[in-house]
Amino acid sequence: MSVVLTAPRVGKECIFSASPIARRLRRTFTTQIPLLWSPPFKKLQPSDFSKQPPRKLRPPPPSQRSAEGGRPPSKRRGGEDTPRVTEWHTVTKPTEKQLRGLQNYLQQFSNSQYIRSKCLGMGVTADIYEPGMKAFITALMNNEIEGLSVGDAVAHLLAKSRADRFLLPSYYKYVTAKYPEETETLRSLMSFSDLTEPAEWHKETRRMQRKIILHLGPTNSGKTYAALKRLEECDAGIYCGPLRLLAHEVYERLNAKGVPCNLLTGEERRESDGVNKYAATVEMAPLNKRFEVAVLDEIQMIGDEGRGWAWTQGLLGLQADEIHLCGEPTIVPLVRAMMKDTADTIEIRRYERLTKLAVAETGLGGQLQKLKRGDCIATFSRQNIFALKRAIEEKTSLRAAVIYGSLPPETRTEQAKQFNDPNGPYDVLVASDAIGMGLNLNIGRMIFERVEKWNGKETKVLSISQVKQIAGRAGRFGTEFETGVVCTLDDYDMRTMKRLLNSQAPSILSAGLFPSLEQIEVFSQYLPGEPLSALLERFQDLANLDGRYFLCNLDSQRVIAEFIEDIPLTLRDRYTFILAPFNLQDPASAAQMRRFATAQSGGLECLMEDSVVLGDHPPQTIDQLKDLEAQHRLIILYMWLSQRFPETFTDLDNALYLKRKCEDLIDRGLANLKFERKRKITGAAKHALKLQKKAERLARLAGTTEKAETSETVVEVPPVQEEVQQKQPVEKEAPAEVLVQEKY
């Protein structure tokens, strides 16, 4: 996305984007061009309450800017470390201007049809909405609202918080206290959406005296290894990881050592009689089993907006004598606060990195020719990954492996294995942040292609944790690269990289929660006829939380619920479908999702072969590879549903066969996807090639492939000769062939 800024001194417009050239221009001109910003209390439309407007930051005064035009180094910059770390602080004494702005904002909040419709849907009748809202605004301006001061309200507005997230809950509490008889339904719904004591949801676990052991340290410090050693020694235990790939790795490692272990993921179960150890994804952790040891890996993900609830559920609900938490030190204050409610004991073990990690003085200057074997370039889009792979293989003699999130976990493991092998086919690795966890890689130097990432809404600087997690993959203990090096592809990103690596990540402030099926069923009884998407929205509006917990983002679940709303399903089945691993952005997958839901609704048997048909040849282009990845995701969705609805999705054996076949085709496609190094064309050969391309273009327009007819003449295509720059001279009588490469 480009931003147009007016430059008063030069009288022109400058377009700033995320491209390298534009970033250089931005750093050149920011000291001369003041950024335009709007006051925090602009006039809002009713539609503004339904979505959060983008935040605009006022630039620092010129005296506080660095020599490059940016802000001075700060330990708090570099993007949000977790979705729950906010950047606003309570305004202790608002100014007169801020109070006037708040008054205007509250008036628009009161007049908003969006807010009015929400309140009417909650049982606040029209005859009490107006007087209740007027009294609420007066009480808020007089600092008489419990839990929301005037300073807090101003701070929320400065941070561009959504009005229905910080004002509506306070209004509901106020209006139910002022009109208790008229708001009986609302009071009942508020009581069922009380999430202030999630520890009490697990009664059996609260009867236990557990020991919480925190293994804290950076990447490549051996913290997870120490926890898994304890898992090997016990009689009954479970490993809970964030990725199916990690669960498979632990499952295979334990069984290879002669320690029987079961596998439990959303798509697959491998269980044997008499085996009491499990390797599972964190969402699949069984809370009704007793264990001696439980390992919760990557515990800092408890603050993730989408999946944090699974780590909260595991930490509060697992029935294990010892719970080993592996992750970053940023989690300590939150775990201590949560364990006060459970009365569990805490032990902290800290680990240091086993190998050295050095930061280079400069980047590569944008020159891929400086790459060497063992390097890894981190970039953050699938398109960039293949563009870099092409550029590396065309400009150097190196072969590049690729790893990114949409690849099947098995394919990622195979690519990592071939990259790690000194005699393997790959010399360097191009990867996304998917390498941040779950893969053992022999990386000597980690190179960041950029230090920004698109988060689905905007391009933001990488967080401190993201940078440290990825950078820490360089230098692996026990390999030839025991000393890791970190740098950037472009020199101008090195300053940001050094600042992020030298900064301390902020502590994780709260843990995620998710509404249970039982809570949604209670809501449906009080709000009969409301679809599931509306029930989720109502629950989100009424959820009562304390400072240690937050409600996970329900937007994707609401979208899926709306997508299958017209299909007659029970509430329980509909709730299961919205939790499925499914992305509506893929049209083919969306059509199959409706087909799956329709089959479950009608009690019809759904076969895998009706949804996925695979050929026998590996993909030849990047687009074909992308289609095959989509087919693999569809197979995984079918397997996931077969674990929940075995009577409908009965073709599990065929799905497993197609899954392995699809992964084999993807592996073969990546192995064949190579780009030849370009030979430089100069002189007469370059001119002849231009003539050939022009003639071919004219020929296509004329409808013939051999000659292009004009109104008077026929242009014959001359034979093309090429001059190739080599150390040995090329004989003129034997012109080199022009290499025409297929565009993948």
Side-chain angles (χ1 to χ4, degrees), residues 382 386 389 402 404 407-408 411 415 426 613-632 660-675 742-744:
R382 187 180 184 277
F386 283 103
K389 175 181 171 65
V402 294
Y404 50 93
L407 278 179
T411 301
Q415 288 283 296
Y426 298 117
V613 178
L614 299 177
D616 296 325
H617 301 289
Q620 301 296 321
T621 66
I622 293 178
D623 287 338
Q624 292 177 3
L625 178 63
K626 185 177 181 180
D627 292 339
L628 204 56
E629 292 167 3
Q631 295 278 65
H632 187 272
R660 288 191 292 266
K661 181 179 179 180
C662 187
E663 291 162 0
D664 179 65
L665 290 174
I666 292 175
D667 289 342
R668 289 161 56 192
L670 287 175
N672 297 332
L673 191 65
K674 61 179 70 174
F675 305 96
E742 179 182 359
K743 292 185 178 180
Y744 288 93

Side-chain angles (χ1 to χ4, degrees), residues 281-546:
T281 48
V282 65
E283 287 87 352
M284 297 299 296
L287 303 182
N288 57 346
K289 289 183 178 290
R290 288 294 297 264
F291 297 105
E292 183 181 343
V293 172
V295 178
L296 272 175
D297 203 2
E298 304 294 347
I299 185 60
Q300 69 275 3
M301 290 192 68
I302 199 171
D304 184 77
E305 273 198 345
R307 299 177 62 199
W309 63 270
W311 278 264
T312 305
Q313 174 182 271
L315 178 56
L316 296 177
L318 276 171
Q319 299 183 41
D321 298 325
E322 297 178 13
I323 296 187
H324 295 254
L325 308 179
C326 305
E328 301 174 0
T330 55
I331 196 64
V332 173
L334 177 59
V335 171
R336 281 178 171 162
M338 293 172 65
M339 293 305 100
K340 289 181 180 179
D341 296 336
T342 63
D344 296 324
T345 61
I346 298 178
E347 177 184 334
I348 298 178
R349 302 177 185 176
R350 300 186 184 273
Y351 299 78
E352 298 295 331
R353 185 177 167 87
L354 298 175
T355 59
K356 294 182 179 180
L357 183 65
V359 182
E361 290 297 325
T362 61
L364 300 188
Q367 300 180 30
L368 296 176
Q369 292 83 351
K370 293 183 179 181
L371 292 175
K372 56 186 178 182
R373 193 182 72 82
D375 284 350
C376 174
I377 298 185
T379 187
F380 305 105
S381 75
R382 187 180 184 277
Q383 182 179 0
N384 282 355
I385 286 173
F386 283 103
L388 279 169
K389 175 181 171 65
R390 172 189 285 274
I392 291 170
E393 295 183 355
E394 287 180 348
K395 295 181 179 181
T396 72
S397 59
L398 303 173
R399 287 289 312 280
V402 294
I403 293 177
Y404 50 93
S406 58
L407 278 179
E410 294 79 4
T411 301
R412 280 181 263 168
T413 303
E414 183 62 25
Q415 288 283 296
K417 180 181 178 181
Q418 295 183 20
F419 168 72
N420 290 339
D421 186 358
N423 300 319
Y426 298 117
D427 307 292
V428 296
L429 176 64
V430 183
S432 69
D433 50 357
I435 64 168
M437 60 180 70
L439 290 171
N440 294 320
L441 297 164
N442 298 345
I443 298 173
R445 181 171 58 173
M446 179 62 68
I447 304 162
F448 285 77
E449 185 264 338
R450 62 183 61 193
V451 292
E452 302 96 1
K453 179 184 177 182
W454 174 257
N455 63 3
K457 298 179 181 178
E458 59 182 339
T459 300
K460 297 193 67 175
V461 177
L462 296 173
S463 71
I464 297 171
S465 287
Q466 286 174 329
V467 169
K468 290 187 175 182
Q469 186 86 8
I470 297 171
R473 309 304 290 179
R476 182 184 173 193
F477 182 74
T479 69
E480 59 180 307
F481 304 116
E482 288 202 358
T483 299
V485 179
V486 183
C487 68
T488 59
L489 182 60
D490 296 305
D491 293 339
Y492 51 77
D493 282 327
M494 281 301 299
R495 182 173 179 270
T496 302
M497 176 61 57
K498 291 178 180 179
R499 173 172 51 77
L500 292 172
L501 288 173
N502 292 329
S503 300
Q504 183 177 358
S507 297
I508 297 173
L509 304 179
S510 51
L513 295 174
F514 195 86
S516 66
L517 174 61
E518 291 73 18
Q519 290 170 319
I520 298 300
E521 286 177 336
V522 170
F523 262 58
S524 67
Q525 295 173 7
Y526 280 88
L527 299 171
E530 290 281 2
L532 178 57
S533 58
L535 294 176
L536 292 173
E537 186 176 6
R538 300 285 190 269
F539 189 94
Q540 194 168 11
D541 291 340
L542 294 176
N544 185 22
L545 302 145
D546 68 10

Side-chain angles (χ1 to χ4, degrees), residues 255-284:
N255 283 288
K257 290 183 176 182
V259 180
C261 181
N262 297 320
L263 178 67
L264 190 60
T265 69
E267 302 81 22
E268 190 175 6
R269 291 174 181 263
R270 301 180 192 174
E271 297 181 271
S272 302
D273 294 336
V275 177
N276 297 318
K277 291 182 181 177
Y278 292 82
T281 48
V282 65
E283 287 87 352
M284 297 299 296

Side-chain angles (χ1 to χ4, degrees), residues 72 111 130 179-180 224 245 250 261 351 380 397 401 409 420 427 442 477 543 589 622 654 687 691 710-711:
N111 297 333
E130 291 289 352
Y179 305 99
T224 306
L245 184 150
V250 173
C261 181
Y351 299 78
F380 305 105
S397 59
N420 290 339
D427 307 292
N442 298 345
F477 182 74
S589 297
I622 293 178
N654 191 31
H687 180 67
L691 290 177
T710 63
S711 58

